[in-house]
Amino acid sequence: MSMDKASADCPYPGCFFCVMKEGNPSKRRASILKFFRELPSQDDDGQVLPISGLWNTAMAHPNDPEFIELGIFECMSALIWKGLKNRRWLSHDQNIYIPYYAAHIIGSYTMNMEEFADRAVRAGIIPPLVELLRGRLTWVEQRVAVRALGHLATYASTFPAVASHGEILELSIQLAMSSLEIVYSHFYQYVDRRLSYHCDLLTRGMGGVEMESRKAEEWASQLQCWSLQLINCFAFKPEFLPTICKPEFLAKLPGMWGGLVNENSPAGIGLLRTICHHKLGRGPVAACPGIIEALCNIARSSDDWQYMAIDCLLWLLQDPSTCHKVIEKAVPALVDLAEISSLGDHKKLGDSIVNVLQECIESQGTGRTQINSHVKEEVEELLNSKQRLKWEKNMPKEDLHIKQAAALVVKLEGNSLFSSGNISGAAAKYSEALALCPMRSKKERVVLYSNRAQCHLLLQQPLAAIGDATRALCLHNPVNRHAKSLWRRAQAYDMLGLAKESLLDAILFINECSQSNDPDLSLRQNKVPDYAERLVKKQMRAAWLFREAAIKHGGVQCEGDAGDMCGQETDDSEWETASESEIGNEERDEIGNDICGWENEVERKDKYKKASLKGNLIPNF
């Protein structure tokens, strides 16, 4: 059927869906070409229907060149301009949806193919996208505009066209910092003021206030993450680093993590890694208060961003102009990570860490690089342990077995002291056992570090507990998968008020428990222990994506760090099971039972408290 005739049962002349049914390929292409040329100038009702159809097609087949060759980019660009300039048309029928769909279509077709991106730029799509990025309409159009511009900026051939619009970088930086507040104040906070088409776009036909709110969190996170992705494209070019490396923006980057709904996004830490890769970026990062501490926390974490933070710290230490500014905070964190073997595609990461730390020691006294005595001792102890490993390779097996047996005896003495309430004495025994234990006996050392971490928890020494738990997780095979160390570090982070770090470790603890063969750890019937559920729920409240915006706009009552939303839980029951049987059956056969659980330093509770099971915990965002 041609564009000039409608089928008998179709009321719309030139209906796009009728055009798509045309069996003759040449007539079909001619009709689609005419449709794309004429659509922006038409004011008929029902225009949103073909646009939504094109949107579905673009998402399902983003690499199909047919519509690209027939002028879809020119058509979408014209429709966005029409929505921006003709508010009467925009408010008529359901045309309010069209700019959103048009920008989304552009982003989908430029997502994978550089050839398509080139054609999009030649079709003039950047200027109307920039207008949407400015907020000329609403935040939902900003979301798809920054997505499309981010895709265009990833290609070498189209980046210059994006960069030629100088305001894009500034707008993206502002959007990354303000996106969560924008969505909270313009949508989430006031249910009765929500625009109906926003609700419809977010729920895709699945209505309800709860669904809208959950999708708003997801979209707000995407708005921030896609802004960071666009900025990251600029950050690879040194000439843009002065614009990006403003203290206000850098200080916020470690907190831009995307919540739990964008787990594949590099988030703020990914941008920091790009910045730190260049000398021009390292200076501002090292000078920004709080960033190094945040990088150390992320480096010790067990998520996909860990290697990015480690890279940042290593580059900052290797740069003579920044080393002296970061050394006292960065070195202790890296010492804890020095025995990590491989992390994803990063092979022999621990060796790289040791080499950089050794260089720091050797540069002591030269230039401005100064290491305090405690940090220097930590590095020297690490280097000595590496030397121990070399010596042990030449030791007779009998001697190694004697050392391992001696370490086990001291460990059991530590367990006994722990059981009698002498927590400090037990920690000292675990340290003594670590000094005796062969370096290659990684399973035994995992348990010793994890036991000592528990002692530090009970002695209210969260930083030491985090260090020992991290060392245990680095030694464990696979890396970062030792359940009890995850749980102990989650508690230590909780003591320090680091909700995000505590939340991630607690969720990983639950995941490990669900796969464990240990009867004291395994979860039955897809349930979770109540102590873990309580901690995760608490940290999900504290790490809520809109928390800062809600406090600013009066949505959360927060007085100091007290109260249900902000403060520490008074219930200490999560401590009861913090030291249940430490290791699985395989390890238990090798080196005996681990330390038992405590409510406090003096009064013992049941050795194994059976956790009540209260439903599936994993959040459904």
Side-chain angles (χ1 to χ4, degrees):
M1 180 174 59
S2 71
M3 290 287 291
D4 300 317
K5 296 181 181 179
S7 62
D9 57 350
C10 181
Y12 296 105
C15 169
F16 177 76
F17 299 102
C18 295
V19 169
M20 295 300 292
K21 296 176 183 177
E22 171 62 60
N24 186 311
S26 61
K27 287 185 177 180
R28 180 175 181 272
R29 286 178 62 85
S31 296
I32 293 173
L33 178 64
K34 185 177 181 182
F35 176 82
F36 284 152
R37 286 177 177 173
E38 295 179 352
L39 182 62
S41 62
Q42 295 176 353
D43 289 326
D44 301 329
D45 292 345
Q47 285 181 297
V48 74
L49 293 176
I51 301 299
S52 64
L54 289 169
W55 170 71
N56 279 310
T57 301
M59 289 198 300
H61 307 286
N63 301 334
D64 188 336
E66 180 182 26
F67 290 164
I68 311 300
E69 297 167 354
L70 297 175
I72 193 171
F73 287 137
E74 290 82 354
C75 180
M76 296 303 108
S77 177
L79 287 170
I80 295 173
W81 278 124
K82 187 172 183 179
L84 290 167
K85 296 178 179 180
N86 189 340
R87 294 305 175 103
R88 179 196 60 78
W89 172 82
L90 188 67
S91 62
H92 179 68
D93 194 36
Q94 298 186 58
N95 294 339
I96 190 69
Y97 293 88
I98 290 178
Y100 170 87
Y101 283 135
H104 205 304
I105 289 166
I106 293 168
S108 294
Y109 277 124
T110 55
M111 181 169 52
N112 302 322
M113 308 290 288
E114 186 168 7
E115 176 188 353
F116 294 178
D118 285 331
R119 296 193 67 141
V121 170
R122 293 198 300 271
I125 54 85
I126 292 181
L129 289 176
V130 172
E131 292 302 309
L132 295 182
L133 186 65
R134 284 187 178 132
R136 284 278 302 276
L137 294 181
T138 71
W139 65 271
V140 298
E141 288 83 15
Q142 282 181 303
R143 169 180 168 270
V144 287
V146 76
R147 168 181 177 258
L149 290 167
H151 292 324
L152 293 171
T154 60
Y155 302 112
S157 62
T158 52
F159 175 79
V162 176
S164 67
H165 294 261
E167 70 263 55
I168 287 180
L169 179 56
E170 291 279 5
L171 289 169
S172 300
I173 292 172
Q174 290 301 316
L175 193 56
M177 290 194 292
S178 61
S179 55
L180 303 184
E181 184 176 349
I182 289 171
V183 178
Y184 179 82
S185 59
H186 287 78
F187 184 86
Y188 194 99
Q189 186 176 19
Y190 301 110
V191 176
D192 57 337
R193 300 184 196 174
R194 294 179 180 177
L195 298 178
S196 60
Y197 87 98
H198 284 183
C199 297
D200 185 54
L201 286 173
L202 263 67
T203 58
R204 303 292 200 282
M206 298 176 289
V209 173
E210 182 180 355
M211 174 64 72
E212 293 164 5
S213 298
R214 287 165 58 186
K215 291 297 291 184
E217 290 185 48
E218 181 179 339
W219 280 27
S221 175
Q222 290 172 353
L223 181 57
Q224 185 176 74
C225 290
W226 287 339
S227 299
L228 292 171
Q229 177 184 327
L230 178 52
I231 300 165
N232 196 61
C233 296
F234 283 87
F236 282 103
K237 312 290 184 180
E239 62 267 30
F240 297 107
L241 286 174
T243 301
I244 297 171
C245 293
K246 301 292 176 58
E248 180 187 6
F249 180 55
L250 290 179
K252 290 181 177 293
L253 277 180
M256 296 183 186
W257 64 298
L260 297 175
V261 295
N262 283 300
E263 59 183 21
N264 294 323
S265 168
I269 183 60
L271 177 55
L272 275 173
R273 182 176 183 269
T274 303
I275 292 170
C276 287
H277 191 261
H278 199 281
K279 187 175 183 65
L280 286 176
R282 290 193 287 272
V285 169
C288 190
I291 281 191
I292 306 306
E293 185 174 348
L295 284 172
C296 291
N297 289 332
I298 298 170
R300 289 187 178 104
S301 70
S302 302
D303 61 32
D304 295 336
W305 303 326
Q306 184 178 12
Y307 80 91
M308 297 183 185
I310 293 173
D311 282 349
C312 290
L313 293 175
L314 292 177
W315 291 332
L316 289 165
L317 284 175
Q318 290 175 297
D319 189 333
S321 66
T322 57
C323 181
H324 66 287
K325 297 180 180 179
V326 307
I327 194 165
E328 289 194 11
K329 289 185 177 179
V331 167
L334 291 171
V335 166
D336 293 338
L337 296 160
E339 291 195 79
I340 196 168
S341 53
S342 298
L343 195 62
D345 295 332
H346 289 59
K347 306 301 181 184
K348 298 183 178 180
L349 184 57
D351 291 343
S352 299
I353 291 172
V354 172
N355 291 337
V356 171
L357 293 177
Q358 186 169 9
E359 291 173 6
C360 287
I361 288 292
E362 292 173 353
S363 66
Q364 170 70 11
T366 64
R368 293 178 294 177
T369 303
Q370 298 293 328
I371 306 177
N372 68 41
S373 57
H374 178 68
V375 172
K376 186 176 181 181
E377 287 174 6
E378 284 190 303
V379 177
E380 289 176 344
E381 182 181 345
L382 170 64
L383 297 177
N384 289 337
S385 70
K386 293 297 180 181
Q387 190 62 43
R388 271 179 60 193
L389 183 59
K390 292 181 181 179
W391 292 336
E392 288 174 0
K393 289 181 179 179
N394 299 320
M395 289 180 67
K397 289 185 177 180
E398 294 78 6
D399 292 349
L400 287 174
H401 289 154
I402 291 171
K403 286 171 64 70
Q404 186 169 339
L408 175 58
V409 170
V410 177
K411 171 184 177 280
L412 294 175
E413 291 175 358
N415 291 357
S416 179
L417 289 172
F418 189 95
S419 297
S420 66
N422 187 349
I423 308 302
S424 297
K429 284 295 181 181
Y430 296 137
S431 298
E432 184 181 342
L434 280 164
L436 289 168
C437 189
M439 295 295 294
R440 70 180 187 182
S441 300
K442 291 187 177 182
K443 288 183 179 179
E444 291 86 342
R445 294 176 65 224
V446 166
V447 175
L448 288 168
Y449 276 125
S450 193
N451 286 3
R452 196 170 68 177
Q454 173 64 9
C455 292
H456 290 313
L457 279 175
L458 295 175
L459 294 171
Q460 300 292 299
Q461 298 169 348
L463 290 175
I466 289 168
D468 277 345
T470 300
R471 294 184 185 204
L473 288 162
C474 288
L475 283 167
H476 190 262
N477 185 22
V479 171
N480 293 327
R481 297 278 297 276
H482 188 243
K484 282 306 181 67
S485 295
L486 286 167
W487 178 245
R488 286 162 185 169
R489 196 170 66 179
Q491 293 176 334
Y493 280 135
D494 180 46
M495 292 173 68
L496 294 174
L498 297 173
K500 179 185 71 175
E501 290 80 0
S502 178
L503 173 62
L504 293 174
D505 274 351
I507 290 176
L508 286 170
F509 165 71
I510 290 167
N511 290 341
E512 287 307 307
C513 287
S514 66
Q515 303 172 37
S516 174
N517 294 323
D518 187 340
D520 300 311
L521 287 178
S522 62
L523 308 179
R524 298 173 178 83
Q525 298 177 355
N526 203 29
K527 304 291 186 178
V528 298
D530 58 348
Y531 60 86
E533 181 178 358
R534 284 195 298 273
L535 183 61
V536 170
K537 284 183 176 179
K538 171 187 175 181
Q539 306 302 22
M540 286 180 67
R541 292 194 300 267
W544 183 40
L545 199 65
F546 291 136
R547 179 175 174 77
E548 185 176 338
I551 292 173
K552 181 176 179 179
H553 291 271
V556 172
Q557 298 299 321
C558 182
E559 298 179 5
D561 276 334
D564 183 54
M565 287 294 294
C566 304
Q568 298 281 331
E569 290 183 349
T570 57
D571 187 319
D572 66 348
S573 57
E574 64 262 26
W575 294 85
E576 298 169 5
T577 53
S579 301
E580 293 166 1
S581 178
E582 172 66 42
I583 48 179
N585 293 329
E586 177 184 348
E587 294 180 15
R588 188 177 292 117
D589 291 340
E590 294 180 13
I591 56 175
N593 291 330
D594 191 30
I595 53 183
C596 52
W598 279 80
E599 180 183 27
N600 52 47
E601 294 184 27
V602 179
E603 188 175 345
R604 180 176 180 179
K605 297 198 100 176
D606 293 339
K607 184 175 182 182
Y608 299 123
K609 179 181 182 291
K610 293 182 179 178
S612 60
L613 304 176
K614 294 185 178 179
N616 194 334
L617 175 64
I618 302 302
N620 182 19
F621 283 91

